[in-house]
């Protein structure tokens, strides 16, 4: 599949954008006119640079407000078009994007518009240029792709084709069946963007909230499969207007974009090979070359397929404060399994199937790419129990993840992993039984208690949030649940759960309010960084027993206010003795029609705290109504209030 990216997706100068797209591995780019206009480079310089970088210049865009106008206006529009065609020759480019008229159209007449497109085609012919006509979702008269296709067909000119843009089509929920009726060679260009489900005007949605495929809520696998089935053989290009991406590191955004296309390509490849004619419905049947050849014109490459992880194998914490951290684990009922036999600064603590590896910080441990974590105690990595660790690692590498450098001696379990976008480490391990073989490197696992890691709550830098969603989706096959906003004293916390289908893996990703560390005591916050904390939640069978042991061992519980319990009494019909018990043990409570959730929190060490949870029945949540209580209590505690 030939990959391309619009320069508007990326930050920086036009030259920086081209270099980043090339370095990431894209085959080509779309030149966004504004990027060229503001550049001191001549069109010939840009063409030369692209050649040196091995990038094709796939699409010049946009050309606006051409059609549906009176003759005098149209004559002026043709003059504008001719100037652009001449410029494109200097760039060595052969395809231009024509957006449906937004501003100047006054005549809604198919015959007139088709005639004007035809005359543009005649002009384009003289410059050896193809025109890809795209329906903008907010076009004055033409806002649906099927209408644009009708007009292209009516224009009946070899230089006039259509551009399909998933944003404009999916945002309007246009029926996708028409795609199958467009011959692949009349689709002159294909642009992809995903978007979160939002209710707002479509122009603002498009200009600020587009994301790369896999980062939003649309089914782009189905969309691309439908286009592939037409026999389309051109580039598959990303056109994403996103406020964060435009501020982020250019190369990094380019890698994120290419990862999204590789993931999508493999998904479509699997769809077309596995369920041809089922997943894409009638679309496959009308493809050039017939159903058997569907998608082959795009030359789709698969990725090693991986099953969802089975469980969290371990969580690794790094700490400068070993005493406080291990004391807290002991208070929570963890047992010390042992030191690692060849790495004395690493130790293992277990509570049933919940395994926490602790490494004492040395300075080398902080030298990681894209790290935005402060030292102290922090969540360094997560090990996942997978079906096939080698396949998972191979897939991760093909998705442009960076491998974690690791020292390992010959007699130790092979453990390989990659860096996640937040700088933490993700390891793949396959265990054959309940106790993974690597535990022997620490000692004997007693594994008495019925306990496991229930969820791991990760803080994400706002600037890399969408990248994180795609990372866990594409590498680990996790699924993103709809995002929620949780109120905290320093702002709203955006929270989105990544989980496996059977919920054995649950990872809420949280974006802290951008300025959260600046609220309150500014001077102190700037030195201590007051990081938004992450937590590891451990399941137990009896929360009151766990709380009693913790209290007997002197655990510093996170305090829960009396007001919370009074509110709880009004929300749920709870037995007064039960309510008293909850309060006495600092246990919070939630329930829904599926079951109940009982949990308590520890104080925070560095940027990590723990949560002990008991799930009753089939409750699947995380006590969402309790999260603001927890955030408020932590806010007070951080400030000594
Ligand atoms: Mg577009
Ligand atoms: Mg939690």
């Amino acid at each position: 599949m030939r990959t391309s990216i619009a320069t508007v997706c990326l930050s920086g100068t036009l030259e920086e954008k081209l270099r980043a797209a090339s370095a990431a591995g894209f085959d080509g780019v779309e030149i966004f006119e504004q990027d060229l206009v503001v550049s001191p480079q001549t069109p010939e310089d840009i063409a030369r640079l692209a050649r040196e970088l091995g990038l094709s210049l796939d699409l010049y865009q946009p050309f606006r407000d051409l059609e549906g106008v009176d003759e005098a206006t149209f004559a002026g529009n043709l003059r504008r078009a001719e100037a652009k065609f001449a410029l494109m020759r200097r760039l060595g480019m052969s395809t231009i994007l024509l957006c449906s008229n937004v501003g100047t159209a006054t005549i809604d007449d198919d015959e007139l518009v088709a005639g004007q497109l035809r005359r543009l085609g005649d002009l384009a012919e003289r410059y050896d240029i193809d025109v890809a006509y795209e329906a903008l979702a907010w076009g004055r008269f033409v806002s649906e792709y099927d209408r644009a296709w009708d007009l292209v067909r009516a224009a009946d000119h070899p230089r006039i084709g259509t551009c399909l843009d998933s944003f404009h089509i999916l945002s309007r929920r246009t029926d996708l069946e028409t795609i199958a009726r467009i011959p692949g060679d009349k689709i002159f260009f294909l642009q992809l963007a995903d978007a979160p489900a939002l209710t707002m005007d479509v122009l603002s949605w498009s200009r600020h909230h587009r994301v790369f495929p896999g980062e939003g809520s649309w089914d782009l696998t189905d969309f691309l499969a439908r286009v592939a089935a037409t026999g389309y053989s051109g580039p598959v290009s990303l056109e994403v207007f996103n406020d964060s991406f435009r501020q982020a590191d250019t190369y990094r955004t380019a890698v994120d974009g290419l990862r999204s296309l590789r993931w999508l390509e493999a998904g479509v490849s699997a769809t077309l090979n596995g369920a041809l004619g089922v997943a894409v419905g009638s679309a496959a049947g009308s493809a050039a070359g017939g159903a058997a050849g569907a998608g082959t014109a795009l030359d789709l490459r698969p990725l090693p397929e991986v099953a969802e992880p089975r469980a969290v194998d371990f969580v690794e914490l790094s700490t400068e404060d070993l005493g406080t951290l291990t004391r807290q684990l002991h208070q929570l009922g963890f047992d010390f399994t042992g030191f690692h036999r060849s790495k004395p600064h690493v130790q293992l603590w277990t509570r049933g199937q919940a395994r926490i590896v602790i490494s004492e910080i040395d300075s080398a441990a902080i030298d990681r790419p894209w790290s935005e974590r402060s030292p102290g105690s922090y969540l360094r990595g997560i090990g996942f129990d997978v079906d096939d660790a080698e396949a998972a690692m191979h897939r991760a590498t093909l998705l442009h993840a960076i491998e974690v450098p690791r020292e390992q001696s010959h007699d130790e379990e092979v453990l390989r992993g990659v860096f996640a976008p937040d700088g933490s480490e993700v390891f793949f391990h396959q265990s054959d039984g309940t106790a993974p073989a690597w535990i022997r490197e620490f000692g004997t696992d007693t594994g008495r208690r019925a306990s496991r890691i229930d969820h791991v709550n990760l803080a994400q830098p706002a600037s890399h949030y969408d990248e994180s969603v795609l990372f866990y989706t594409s590498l680990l096959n996790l699924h993103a649940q709809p995002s929620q906003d949780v109120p905290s004293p320093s702002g709203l916390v955006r929270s989105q759960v990544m989980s496996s289908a059977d919920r054995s893996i649950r990872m809420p990703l949280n974006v802290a309010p951008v300025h959260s560390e600046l609220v309150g005591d500014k001077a102190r916050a700037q030195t201590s960084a007051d990081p938004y904390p992450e937590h590891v939640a451990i399941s137990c069978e009896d929360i009151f027993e766990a709380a009693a042991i913790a209290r007997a061992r002197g655990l510093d519980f996170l305090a829960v206010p009396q007001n919370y319990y009074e509110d709880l009494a009004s929300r749920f019909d709870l037995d007064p003795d039960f309510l008293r018990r909850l309060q006495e043990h600092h246990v919070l409570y939630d329930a829904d029609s599926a079951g109940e959730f009982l949990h308590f929190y520890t104080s925070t060490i560095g940027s990590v705290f723990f949560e002990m949870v008991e799930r009753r029945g089939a409750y699947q949540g995380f006590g969402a109504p309790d999260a603001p209580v927890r955030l408020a209590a932590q806010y007070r505690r951080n400030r000594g209030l």
Side-chain angles (χ1 to χ4, degrees), residues 135 143-150 164-182 222-223 226-227 230 280-283:
S143 56
E144 306 272 5
Y145 83 97
D146 46 4
R147 176 103 194 267
W149 163 236
D150 285 343
L164 297 181
D165 180 326
S166 65
F167 183 87
H168 297 295
I169 298 170
L170 298 175
S171 66
R172 293 194 63 107
R173 301 170 191 269
T174 316
D175 185 351
L176 300 178
E177 292 300 322
T178 301
I179 293 174
R181 298 210 299 271
I182 309 176
D222 171 66
F223 184 84
R226 287 170 184 273
V227 178
T230 67
V280 293
S282 57

Side-chain angles (χ1 to χ4, degrees), residues 156-303:
D156 190 25
H157 194 289
R159 290 297 182 176
I160 304 292
T162 192
C163 169
L164 297 181
D165 180 326
S166 65
F167 183 87
H168 297 295
I169 298 170
L170 298 175
S171 66
R172 293 194 63 107
R173 301 170 191 269
T174 316
D175 185 351
L176 300 178
E177 292 300 322
T178 301
I179 293 174
R181 298 210 299 271
I182 309 176
D185 60 3
K186 286 306 273 184
I187 300 172
F188 282 6
F189 209 74
L190 173 64
Q191 295 175 318
L192 297 181
D194 200 346
L198 295 171
T199 306
M200 66 191 305
D201 73 282
V202 71
L203 180 58
S204 307
W205 194 12
S206 171
R207 293 268 164 89
H208 303 286
H209 301 284
R210 290 190 186 205
V211 284
F212 292 135
E215 298 176 349
S217 62
W218 290 337
D219 185 355
L220 287 168
T221 307
D222 171 66
F223 184 84
L224 181 56
R226 287 170 184 273
V227 178
T230 67
Y232 173 73
S233 61
V236 177
S237 188
L238 297 167
E239 189 198 23
V240 168
F241 307 90
N242 180 291
D243 297 348
S244 301
F245 293 1
R246 288 167 113 147
Q247 299 174 30
D249 177 85
T250 315
Y251 171 70
R252 189 169 169 177
T253 307
V255 170
D256 183 28
L258 193 63
R259 175 178 298 145
S260 80
L261 286 182
R262 288 283 168 242
W263 167 76
L264 191 62
E265 176 183 19
V268 175
S269 168
T271 299
L272 292 176
N273 288 327
L276 189 66
V278 178
V280 293
S282 57
S286 66
T296 51
L298 278 183
D299 189 19
L300 299 166
R301 278 187 299 169
L303 286 170

Side-chain angles (χ1 to χ4, degrees), residues 299-541:
D299 189 19
L300 299 166
R301 278 187 299 169
L303 286 170
E305 289 194 47
V306 295
E308 295 174 352
R310 290 180 290 229
V312 172
D313 190 21
F314 65 89
V315 169
E316 180 171 357
L317 305 176
S318 277
T319 187
E320 291 175 327
D321 191 358
L322 192 62
T324 311
L325 188 60
T326 54
R327 193 178 319 119
Q328 211 170 64
L329 286 175
H330 172 68
Q331 289 160 341
L332 291 173
F334 277 78
D335 296 318
F336 174 65
T337 305
F339 293 102
H340 190 269
R341 64 181 180 216
S342 67
K343 300 178 190 114
H345 63 286
V346 179
Q347 51 184 272
L348 173 65
W349 288 72
T350 55
R351 189 187 203 279
Q353 305 302 308
R355 292 177 279 270
I356 294 187
V357 175
I358 298 178
S359 55
E360 251 190 301
I361 286 182
D362 54 10
S363 54
I366 306 168
D367 181 25
R368 295 166 299 149
W370 304 330
S371 175
E372 300 187 19
R373 281 146 201 277
S374 58
S377 291
Y378 65 92
L379 197 151
R380 176 164 175 180
I382 304 177
F384 292 93
D385 181 11
V386 296
D387 263 353
D388 184 341
E390 206 179 316
M393 192 63 203
H394 188 208
R395 180 182 172 93
T397 310
L398 291 172
L399 287 167
H400 305 276
I402 300 168
E403 183 163 5
V404 176
R406 240 182 129 259
E407 277 176 41
Q408 200 156 292
S409 62
H410 64 93
D411 57 342
E412 288 169 13
E413 280 281 293
V414 175
L415 187 59
R416 293 176 71 194
V418 295
F419 289 107
D422 64 0
S424 66
E425 298 164 1
V426 167
F427 290 102
F428 306 107
H429 181 262
Q430 84 203 52
S431 64
D432 303 320
T434 45
W438 60 264
I439 294 178
R440 285 196 298 269
E441 291 161 26
F442 291 90
T444 310
D445 179 26
T446 48
R448 291 185 310 269
R449 289 191 179 83
S451 205
R452 56 192 290 279
I453 290 177
D454 182 87
H455 62 274
V456 184
N457 190 307
L458 299 173
Q460 300 298 305
S463 51
H464 302 306
Y465 184 79
D466 300 304
E467 181 187 346
S468 297
V469 170
L470 176 66
F471 176 88
Y472 293 110
T473 302
S474 63
L475 270 76
L476 285 168
N477 229 335
L478 297 180
H479 310 282
Q481 311 301 318
S483 79
Q484 296 183 335
D485 287 333
V486 181
S488 91
S490 35
L492 284 180
V493 176
R494 178 176 163 196
S495 180
Q496 188 166 19
V497 178
M498 305 294 306
S499 63
S500 54
D502 68 357
R503 313 263 181 169
S504 59
I505 308 286
R506 308 172 207 244
M507 287 199 314
L509 304 180
N510 287 359
V511 183
V514 179
H515 299 297
S516 62
E517 68 272 30
L518 298 180
V519 175
D521 183 349
K522 243 181 173 171
R524 199 188 117 232
Q526 276 166 353
T527 52
S528 75
D530 193 13
Y532 184 85
E534 304 185 296
H535 72 269
V536 183
I538 297 115
S539 69
C540 65
E541 286 188 308

Side-chain angles (χ1 to χ4, degrees), residues 332 351 449-454 537-547 598-600 611-616:
L332 291 173
R351 189 187 203 279
R449 289 191 179 83
S451 205
R452 56 192 290 279
I453 290 177
D454 182 87
I538 297 115
S539 69
C540 65
E541 286 188 308
D542 184 341
I543 195 81
F544 295 114
E545 185 204 20
L598 293 84
H599 57 148
F600 67 81
E611 177 183 8
M612 189 65 77
V613 313
E614 180 192 339
R615 291 178 185 273
R616 294 182 177 176

